[in-house]
Amino acid sequence: MLDRDLGLTPSYPPTYPEPAIGRHTPYMSQPEYRIYELNKRLQSWTEECDNLWWDAFTTEFFEDDAVLTVACCLEDGPKRYTIGRTLIPRYFRSIFDGGATDLYFNLKHSKESFHGNLVILDCDLCSMVTLHNKPIFTKVCTEGRLYLEFTFDDLMRIKNWHFNIRQNRELLSRSILATHAQDPPMLEQLSNSITRSGLTNFTLNYLRLCVILEPMQELMSRHKTYNMSPRDCLKTCLFQKWQRMVAPPAEPARQAPSKRRKRKMSGGSTISSGPNSNTNSKKKSPASSFALSSQDVMVVGEPTLMGGEFGDEDERLITRLENTQYDATNGIDDEDSFNNSPALGANSPWNSKPPSSQESKSENPTSQASQ
């Protein structure tokens, strides 16, 4: 009964432990996977890596306007260091220049959330692990809270890096302690910490320098661009900053009021399309408003609808084509051309001539006699 073939045993990736029965295979979310890629890139560091390698590393994982903040508590009180994008490559390089040979981050129970176009990763149990070979092999675990803001796009680079250090531990091998058990001076040297709050003196000195250099970025860029002396760069920057403080805030541009068009009459007078034009048109008749003659042009007033006028957008455009060679008085007294018109047929009402003045006089006495 026990010799049945149960099939092939399922295999799992070597990086994950074999899950228990009834559980899904663990997976890694996208922000955590970016930290995994960052750790993998840091593990490929060698002593031959130059500034170009660190610039490429920062460009791959950090936005152009990224900000990195490290908060810790030193002997003289709490400290907070904030640097911009241009100084981030040197920060990571300072960790290796200070004696570390390996650097990676471990995240436990991280939380993800979305805020606009950002993906926020908040890990309260983050551990930054560094390995040091000098003076002896030491493993430094720096624990704290890591708060990251990623851009929600295909690159998914870091926009804000905030690491708040709470505590650190330096781990030594038992074999080293057993070797120097009979050497009190060596044991006293081993008891001294090689880091302060998990950061080497080389990194802390660089962060202090960044606090001074960060406000001077504008001065250094101006000096490099215009080849000006430091004193002239400082004067120019201060003057421009003073101008921005003194200059009043720019007012929003106001829209010009819409102008109503006016129609011109033939006599030179104008007719406005305002609200009073409707009342004037009601009080005055068209006969009194316009002087009609044989060669004057009649202008149409504003159209109205239900007692109200149309606006400028609803105005009707009237085009008049004139024939300058036309004579208005020509052909009025030409009776022969009128009588010879083909429209005058035998039964045409235009063919009957009006009675003459003598016939009308002869009919008037008979009408009076009948009365």
Side-chain angles (χ1 to χ4, degrees), residues 116-338:
N117 58 344
L118 297 176
V119 181
I120 299 175
L121 176 67
D122 190 359
C123 182
D124 194 56
L125 300 176
C126 176
S127 179
M128 181 182 71
V129 181
T130 56
L131 302 180
H132 299 260
N133 291 331
K134 297 179 181 180
I136 57 175
F137 180 80
T138 307
K139 182 179 181 180
V140 181
C141 298
T142 307
E143 300 176 354
R145 178 186 178 184
L146 182 62
Y147 177 86
L148 302 178
E149 292 181 357
F150 295 87
T151 56
F152 190 61
D153 53 10
D154 296 335
L155 298 178
M156 203 168 184
R157 297 188 297 183
I158 300 172
K159 189 177 182 66
N160 186 10
W161 176 295
H162 186 97
F163 187 41
N164 189 6
I165 300 175
R166 286 194 297 263
Q167 62 180 356
N168 70 299
R169 294 175 296 171
E170 296 184 3
L171 307 179
L172 301 176
S173 175
R174 287 180 177 270
S175 60
I176 297 177
L177 296 178
T179 303
H180 301 85
Q182 305 299 328
D183 190 359
M186 188 63 182
L187 291 177
E188 184 179 358
Q189 182 181 356
L190 294 176
S191 62
N192 296 329
S193 300
I194 62 175
T195 61
R196 299 170 59 190
S197 293
L199 302 175
T200 61
N201 291 328
F202 194 91
T203 303
L204 288 175
N205 292 334
Y206 174 73
L207 291 176
R208 293 193 188 100
L209 185 63
C210 288
V211 174
I212 302 174
L213 294 178
E214 188 74 22
M216 298 177 63
Q217 289 292 322
E218 186 177 359
L219 296 177
M220 291 185 290
S221 62
R222 188 176 296 274
H223 171 70
K224 184 182 295 185
T225 304
Y226 301 103
N227 197 15
M228 300 170 61
S229 63
R231 185 180 297 274
D232 294 338
C233 293
L234 182 60
K235 288 181 180 180
T236 306
C237 293
L238 290 177
F239 179 73
Q240 292 180 355
K241 187 175 182 180
W242 175 80
Q243 281 185 333
R244 291 193 296 265
M245 294 173 61
V246 175
E251 298 181 357
R254 298 180 179 178
Q255 296 182 355
S258 59
K259 298 181 180 180
R260 291 190 174 272
R261 295 178 296 177
K262 295 183 179 181
R263 297 177 181 271
K264 291 187 178 181
M265 295 174 54
S266 59
S269 61
T270 59
I271 300 177
S272 63
S273 59
N276 297 328
S277 61
N278 189 18
T279 57
N280 295 335
S281 62
K282 291 181 180 179
K283 293 180 181 179
K284 296 181 181 181
S285 62
S288 61
S289 300
F290 303 98
L292 299 178
S293 62
S294 59
Q295 295 185 359
D296 286 339
V297 181
M298 182 178 294
V299 180
V300 180
E302 292 291 333
T304 59
L305 178 64
M306 297 296 291
E309 293 187 355
F310 289 99
D312 294 342
E313 299 178 356
D314 298 327
E315 291 183 354
R316 302 174 183 177
L317 181 63
I318 298 176
T319 306
R320 178 176 179 270
L321 300 177
E322 297 184 3
N323 188 0
T324 56
Q325 300 178 358
Y326 171 72
D327 188 4
T329 60
N330 185 19
I332 294 179
D333 297 333
D334 193 359
E335 187 176 357
D336 296 336
S337 60
F338 178 75

Side-chain angles (χ1 to χ4, degrees), residues 52-70:
L52 296 178
W53 189 91
W54 287 107
D55 289 338
F57 163 79
T58 309
T59 303
E60 181 180 356
F61 294 99
F62 289 87
E63 282 288 322
D64 296 337
D65 56 346
V67 176
L68 186 144
T69 303
V70 177

